[in-house]
């Protein structure tokens, strides 16, 4: 079930059903499990996965992509001598789908694309969002996804009970926050203050949740777009370089459709799932 809850003066003033399992059933996507499943599928199909690497450039000539250059820290390099030295990955096609860090591609492709194309890439922005996972093994939260409107705040917390006896809670997104490296986001922003803020909001709606044990606290950056819609398509000035970013809060929901759309640009036997013109 899904319900929208309105809160005024720390009191619930209205509950509205959005859907139920009979008239408008919905499914829930677990982001980490989805991503892990996709990685596993890719590996099973023969793909190699390079992790904890920092891209420093994309090389090409006359728009023809040749290779991606990257570095790795000592723990992931073959030996100490190779730590933080540049490695190369030969390729003929590159898909840049890095959320808010997609904007870095403007520097990687410097000299290969026109200034207006680089500005479009730099137009991929970010908003900070917070989330936490609580233990629901005691069944304190019913199987209802709640979308909370708070009259005294711009915050719109969301509560998602999961089938694995946990509760996912999120709130966002804050703008005008410096973009940091992915590995530093949680350490810098998933603080006690943000957790207490989230608990304060949801305790008004589900008071029993105040007793739920915290399992995990997180922070992330949502990729935004200066034009208000995702940037999907071929990068002008290149022959085999594609981008897919700027989906905001709808990234996981639209991920598989976006993937099929990009595949349709690369592989001739894959049909497009969306009209691409408005996203290019």
């Amino acid at each position: 079930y899904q319900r929208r809850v309105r809160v005024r003066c720390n009191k619930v003033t209205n509950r509205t059903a959005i859907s139920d399992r009979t008239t408008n059933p919905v499914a829930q996507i677990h982001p980490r499990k989805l991503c892990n499943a996709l990685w596993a599928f890719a590996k099973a199909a023969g793909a190699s996965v390079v992790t904890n690497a920092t891209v420093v450039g994309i090389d090409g000539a006359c728009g023809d992509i040749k290779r991606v250059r990257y570095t790795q820290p000592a723990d992931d390099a073959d030996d100490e001598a190779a730590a933080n030295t540049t490695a190369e990955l030969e390729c003929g096609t590159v898909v840049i789908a890095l959320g808010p860090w997609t904007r870095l591609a403007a520097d990687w492709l410097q000299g290969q694309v026109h200034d207006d194309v680089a500005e479009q890439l730099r137009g991929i922005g970010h908003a900070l969002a917070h989330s936490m996972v609580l233990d629901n093994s005691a069944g304190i939260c019913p199987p209802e996804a709640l979308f909370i409107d708070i009259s005294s705040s711009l915050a719109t917390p969301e509560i998602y009970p999961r089938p694995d006896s946990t509760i996912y809670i999120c709130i966002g997104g804050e703008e005008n926050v410096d973009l940091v490296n992915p590995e530093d986001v949680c350490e810098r922003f998933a603080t006690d203050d943000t957790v207490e803020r989230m608990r304060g909001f949801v305790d008004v709606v589900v008071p029993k949740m105040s007793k739920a044990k915290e399992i995990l606290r997180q922070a992330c950056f949502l990729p935004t777009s200066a034009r208000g819609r995702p940037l999907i398509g071929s990068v002008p000035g290149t022959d085999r370089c594609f981008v897919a970013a700027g989906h905001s809060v709808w990234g996981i929901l639209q991920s598989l459709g976006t993937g099929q759309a990009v595949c349709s640009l690369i592989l001739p036997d894959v049909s497009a799932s969306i009209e691409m013109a408005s996203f290019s």
Side-chain angles (χ1 to χ4, degrees):
Y1 296 90
Q2 295 185 99
R3 297 186 186 277
R4 185 170 299 280
V5 180
R6 298 188 184 278
V7 177
R8 181 183 296 273
C9 298
N10 288 333
K11 292 184 178 180
V12 176
T13 59
N14 180 264
R15 291 176 180 260
T16 305
I18 300 175
S19 66
D20 60 53
R21 67 183 65 185
T22 56
T23 60
N24 187 21
V26 295
Q28 183 179 144
I29 299 175
H30 190 299
R32 182 181 295 276
K33 291 181 179 180
L34 173 63
C35 291
N36 286 342
L38 292 174
W39 285 128
F41 181 84
K43 289 180 179 179
S48 297
V49 178
V50 179
T51 60
N52 202 17
T54 300
V55 175
V56 294
I58 299 175
D59 296 337
C62 299
D64 187 16
I65 297 298
K66 298 292 186 181
R67 66 188 64 84
V68 174
R69 291 180 287 111
Y70 65 92
T71 62
Q72 283 183 300
D75 290 344
D76 294 273
D78 291 336
D79 53 60
E80 287 289 338
N84 294 319
T85 59
T86 301
E88 295 182 350
L89 183 65
E90 300 293 328
C91 59
T93 301
V94 172
V95 178
I96 304 168
L98 303 175
W101 294 276
T102 298
R103 62 182 295 122
L104 300 177
D107 296 327
W108 303 337
L109 294 168
Q110 190 172 13
Q112 301 182 63
V113 298
H114 293 298
D115 290 345
D116 59 333
V117 175
E119 284 305 306
Q120 286 192 59
L121 291 171
R122 293 191 180 98
I124 299 296
H126 60 279
L128 178 66
H130 303 278
S131 62
M132 62 188 301
V133 178
L134 303 180
D135 179 24
N136 193 35
S137 57
I140 58 175
C141 188
E144 297 179 355
L146 302 179
F147 303 87
I148 306 170
D149 296 329
I150 301 175
S151 61
S152 60
S153 173
L154 295 176
T156 55
E158 299 176 2
I159 303 174
Y160 299 91
R162 287 174 167 172
D164 61 358
S165 297
T166 63
I167 307 167
Y168 175 78
I169 304 168
C170 61
I171 187 172
E174 299 176 39
E175 299 181 352
N176 301 318
V177 178
D178 291 339
L179 185 66
V180 300
N181 292 330
E183 62 270 19
D184 298 328
V185 177
C186 285
E187 181 179 354
R188 181 168 174 179
F189 296 109
T191 63
D192 291 341
D193 289 343
T194 58
V195 170
E196 291 176 5
R197 183 173 173 232
M198 279 190 286
R199 278 191 176 272
F201 286 138
V202 300
D203 286 354
V204 174
V205 180
V206 189
K208 293 182 180 179
M209 201 176 295
S210 60
K211 301 178 181 179
K213 179 183 177 182
E214 177 185 324
I215 298 175
L216 181 67
R217 61 177 64 180
Q218 304 169 114
C220 68
F221 282 114
L222 305 175
T224 61
S225 171
R227 60 184 189 174
R229 60 182 183 275
L231 190 64
I232 307 171
S234 177
V235 177
T238 68
D239 183 36
R240 302 285 291 178
C241 185
F242 304 88
V243 66
H247 295 70
S248 187
V249 298
W250 308 109
I252 291 296
L253 178 66
Q254 298 174 349
S255 60
L256 300 183
T258 298
Q260 183 178 354
V262 174
C263 283
S264 71
L265 301 175
I266 301 173
L267 304 174
D269 57 342
V270 176
S271 60
S273 55
I274 59 175
E275 172 55 52
M276 296 294 293
S278 60
F279 298 101
S280 62

